[in-house]
Amino acid sequence: MNPFVRIREDIDSVLERDPAARSRLEVFLCYPGLWAVWIHRVSHALWGWRLRLPARMLSQIGRFFTGVDIHPGALLGRRLFIDHATGVVIGETSIVGSDVTMYQGVTLGGTGKGHGKRHPTLCDGVFVGNNANLLGNITIGENSRVGAGSVVLSDVPPNSTVVGVPAHIVYRNGERVLITDPHEIKDPLSDSLIALAGRVEELEERLGGQRRPAQQFTAEEAERTAYHEELERLRQYVSMGEGI
Ligand SMILES: CC(C)(COP(=O)(O)OP(=O)(O)OC[C@H]1O[C@@H](n2cnc3c(N)ncnc32)[C@H](O)[C@@H]1OP(=O)(O)O)[C@@H](O)C(=O)NCCC(=O)NCCS
């Protein structure tokens, strides 16, 4: 495809997605996220021609001017929009589909443990909020949304919204998803929560026969309060010298 046609397509997609964008000229001149993508197209071509060092150097020059660090090996689809640009990192084996939007501070990174394909794959239409970290060889399904500040460590099905650290699904196919089982939280603390829930259940079972109805506690409390009030009234009566 003619590179100028692609540039025009990129600019038009920004005008569609960013309400702050007013004209093609403004988008061309003021959107470093787009410059980063254009520089990447050249560095990726160099990488493909096995000119690895020039490719890396060009991507670093791009990083210097745009604040976006895209490894020349990463595969980017059409109409990628990186809004605000600063601090975005896209690792070597990342694959980004078409019509993806991401904000400043997003990382498509490795976990530091893997080799080979070790960065995320984002399918078409994915939206990634600012400062989200997507780590490892995971796949974010088509049209899914990742909340700002989330840390995503496992695959996300298509048409879902994930939020949190670690991220969990809050919407799937337009339906709200509520977590009812602590196993689904996948938090380092979830094992403790599961153990605690089991212990509470066990204690409740043990206490089952000895439970007292709530109204008994309320009546006892009322009796105690009345007793203390009466005691206080007598104390004041005696201190005023009006007692016996
Ligand atoms: C994730 C996001 C896309 C979800 O939007 P949405 O579909 O309208 O979802 P809702 O606002 O209904 O939120 C659903 C639940 O997730 C929670 N949630 C939403 N975003 C969250 C986030 N980033 N982190 C943690 N929890 C979040 C909400 O509190 C809500 O929980 P509750 O129902 O228990 O109160 C949106 O919140 C978001 O993070 N957008 C990123 C915007 C961004 O990066 N802007 C940068 C501008 S410079």
Side-chain angles (χ1 to χ4, degrees):
M1 194 176 181
N2 181 331
F4 296 103
V5 176
R6 281 196 81 174
I7 286 177
R8 196 187 164 101
E9 178 185 83
D10 293 330
I11 292 174
D12 287 346
S13 84
V14 171
L15 282 167
E16 270 167 34
R17 279 181 259 178
D18 185 3
R22 284 175 178 77
S23 69
R24 283 202 178 109
L25 184 64
E26 184 193 328
V27 174
F28 182 76
L29 294 175
C30 305
Y31 280 72
L34 278 189
W35 308 340
V37 170
W38 297 333
I39 292 167
H40 172 76
R41 281 185 197 147
V42 181
S43 73
H44 185 66
L46 294 173
W47 189 259
W49 297 327
R50 307 193 74 78
L51 296 169
R52 301 285 156 94
L53 185 61
R56 288 300 307 264
M57 285 167 64
L58 180 61
S59 91
Q60 289 309 299
I61 293 168
R63 189 181 80 129
F64 180 80
F65 285 107
T66 65
V68 178
D69 187 349
I70 311 178
H71 192 285
L75 275 177
L76 306 185
R78 287 166 63 175
R79 298 176 294 277
L80 167 62
F81 176 31
I82 306 173
D83 202 0
H84 304 294
T86 311
V88 167
V89 176
I90 300 182
E92 180 186 358
T93 59
S94 305
I95 300 175
V96 176
S98 295
D99 300 302
V100 168
T101 306
M102 59 180 78
Y103 284 91
Q104 71 275 12
V106 166
T107 298
L108 306 185
T111 54
K113 292 181 281 191
H115 295 280
K117 172 82 172 95
R118 58 195 185 282
H119 299 105
T121 297
L122 274 54
C123 296
D124 295 348
V126 165
F127 170 98
V128 189
N130 64 287
N131 296 309
N133 291 296
L134 287 64
L135 304 178
N137 182 15
I138 55 172
T139 300
I140 313 299
E142 272 178 28
N143 301 318
S144 285
R145 288 144 66 85
V146 177
S150 305
V151 176
V152 188
L153 299 167
S154 51
D155 291 347
V156 174
N159 305 309
S160 309
T161 302
V162 292
V163 299
V165 182
H168 58 273
I169 300 180
V170 285
Y171 284 105
R172 191 165 181 183
N173 298 319
E175 301 276 319
R176 186 79 163 92
V177 176
L178 290 174
I179 292 182
T180 48
D181 179 355
H183 286 96
E184 290 173 26
I185 301 173
K186 296 190 193 92
D187 186 273
L189 286 176
S190 57
D191 283 347
S192 315
L193 284 175
I194 293 161
L196 204 59
R199 186 89 181 108
V200 168
E201 212 168 293
E202 187 193 311
L203 287 170
E204 274 181 353
E205 263 167 35
R206 267 206 242 161
L207 282 171
Q210 303 164 32
R211 265 190 219 150
R212 287 186 293 169
Q215 44 297 23
Q216 190 178 336
F217 285 107
T218 321
E220 276 176 19
E221 186 63 28
E223 208 174 294
R224 210 173 301 128
T225 311
Y227 171 76
H228 282 291
E229 277 171 7
E230 181 62 12
L231 204 62
E232 186 57 25
R233 196 180 64 77
L234 285 172
R235 209 176 276 137
Q236 280 176 8
Y237 189 63
V238 171
S239 69
M240 281 190 298
E242 294 171 14
I244 306 157

